[in-house]
Amino acid sequence: MFRWATIAGPVMGVVNVTPDSFSDGGRFVAPASAVAHACELAGAGAAVLDVGGESTRPGAEPVDADTEIARVLPVISEVAARVDVPISVDTTKAAVADAALRAGATIVNDVSAGTADPEMLGVVAGAGAGYVAMHMRGEPRTMQVDPHYDDVVDEVAGFLVERLDAARAAGIADDALMADPGIGFGKTIDHNLELLASLPELIAAVGVPVLVGTSRKTFLGRIVDEPDPSARDDATLATVVWALERGAAMVRVHDVRGAVQAAAVLGAMARASVARRGMVETR
Ligand code: PMM
C-alpha cells in the first residue's frame, strides 16, 4: 500500500513523453531519451518521477489511451528497473493508469481529479496506489477561455474536498491522497497568484498534503517577461521557495536540482531557527 509519508523529499521531477508539451515540448519523446532524462532527475534528488504521455498545455488536443500507453509504458518499466525512485503517471485515463501501475508506477497524478474517467478512482484503489487529485476548470482544450470565479480559493478548495471524499469513498486510503490547486489550469494570472498567496488556508481546508506545480508556467513568463518556458527556472524557483515555506508538501518541477538545493537550504534554516528559538526561550 502506498503512503505519502514514505516519500523521501519534497521534489517531483517532470518527465514529459509528449511531442507537444509547452515546457519541454518533444525533447524527450523517444523512450531512451526520456529514460535518460528521468535517471538524471533521480540523480539530482527527485523524490518522485512524474511520467506523462498527454500534453495538458492550454489548447492541447486529447490523445487516445493506446497512444498514451505506447508513449509512457516503455519509459515507466525501464525507469522502474533502473532507479529506486517512486514513479507517478500523469494521466486522466483509467486504462493508462492501470497499465502504468502494472509496469512499476505506484502513484497516479490525475489533473481531472477523477472527473474525466469514472473508472479511475476504482483502479487506483484496487492497486493500493497513491493519488494526486488536481483542480482544473474545464478541459485543457478550452480551460484558458475567460476563466471566472467568485472566490477562487474557496471554489478550488471546495472542489478538492469533494473529489478527495469521492476518492475515499472509492477505497483510496487517506494517507495515499494528495491535493493540487492546479496552477495554470483554467486560471488567470491573478487567480494563480491568489491561490499561491492563500496556500496555508488552502492546505488547512483540504486536510491532506498539497502538491504545487508552477514550473515554467505562463503566469511566470508574464511576470518576468520571458516568452521561452525553458528560461523560466529562476522565476519558478521563487515560487518553489514560497510554496515550501507556506506548507506545500511537494513541488512539481522541471529543474529538479534547483528545487532540491532550495529545499535543503530551507530545511537547514528552519532547523537553525528552531534551535535559536529554544536558546532564547531557555535564557
Ligand atoms: N501541470 C502540468 C501537468 N501535470 N500535474 C499536477 N499535479 N500539477 C500540475 O501543476 C501539473 C500537472 C503542466 O505542465 P507540464 O507541461 O510541465 O507537464
Side-chain angles (χ1 to χ4, degrees):
M1 288 292 261
F2 177 89
R3 291 168 52 242
W4 281 109
T6 62
I7 295 297
V11 179
M12 172 186 274
V14 179
V15 184
N16 281 325
V17 200
T18 53
D20 58 349
S21 173
F22 87 96
S23 51
D24 49 16
R27 278 184 60 209
F28 305 111
V29 74
S33 78
V35 169
H37 183 60
C39 293
E40 221 173 274
L41 298 185
V48 176
L49 296 166
D50 188 40
V51 180
E54 176 176 36
S55 173
T56 48
R57 87 185 143 78
E61 288 298 328
V63 297
D64 62 38
D66 288 343
T67 307
E68 215 181 311
I69 289 173
R71 287 178 184 170
V72 298
L73 227 61
V75 175
I76 290 173
S77 36
E78 187 60 24
V79 173
R82 285 214 211 164
V83 297
D84 204 16
V85 176
I87 299 168
S88 58
V89 61
D90 186 346
T91 188
T92 60
K93 299 184 188 74
V96 178
D98 186 46
L101 293 169
R102 290 175 198 280
T106 55
I107 303 158
V108 176
N109 172 24
D110 178 1
V111 300
S112 83
T115 63
D117 187 332
E119 311 292 325
M120 178 60 104
L121 298 177
V123 164
V124 176
Y131 187 65
V132 179
M134 197 198 80
H135 175 272
M136 168 166 53
R137 175 61 67 80
E139 52 175 284
R141 210 166 42 79
T142 54
M143 66 188 177
Q144 287 308 103
V145 183
D146 197 22
H148 172 82
Y149 302 83
D150 289 326
D151 182 328
V152 69
V153 179
D154 270 8
E155 286 170 54
V156 167
F159 170 88
L160 289 173
V161 165
E162 185 195 309
R163 297 313 304 160
L164 291 166
D165 281 344
R168 290 182 191 101
I172 304 177
D174 202 45
D175 53 8
L177 289 171
M178 195 170 262
D180 182 332
I183 299 298
F185 285 82
K187 285 137 191 137
T188 62
I189 298 189
D190 287 343
H191 294 143
N192 292 324
L193 292 173
E194 199 173 336
L195 284 165
L196 290 170
S198 311
L199 267 182
E201 182 188 334
L202 189 80
I203 292 166
V206 298
V208 300
V210 165
L211 170 68
V212 174
T214 53
S215 193
R216 300 184 179 175
K217 287 186 176 169
T218 304
F219 81 107
L220 296 174
R222 297 259 174 83
I223 294 170
V224 301
D225 193 18
E226 177 50 75
D228 175 6
S230 67
R232 295 176 188 154
D233 285 337
D234 297 329
T236 298
L237 200 53
T239 62
V240 163
V241 171
W242 176 277
L244 293 177
E245 265 294 282
R246 278 156 189 78
M250 185 158 279
V251 288
R252 180 184 180 278
V253 294
H254 301 84
D255 175 22
V256 166
R257 190 183 141 82
V260 166
Q261 288 193 352
V265 173
L266 283 174
M269 291 192 297
R271 285 190 294 278
S273 127
V274 169
R276 174 70 192 168
R277 219 175 305 136
M279 219 170 93
V280 170
E281 276 163 16
T282 53
R283 251 185 208 158

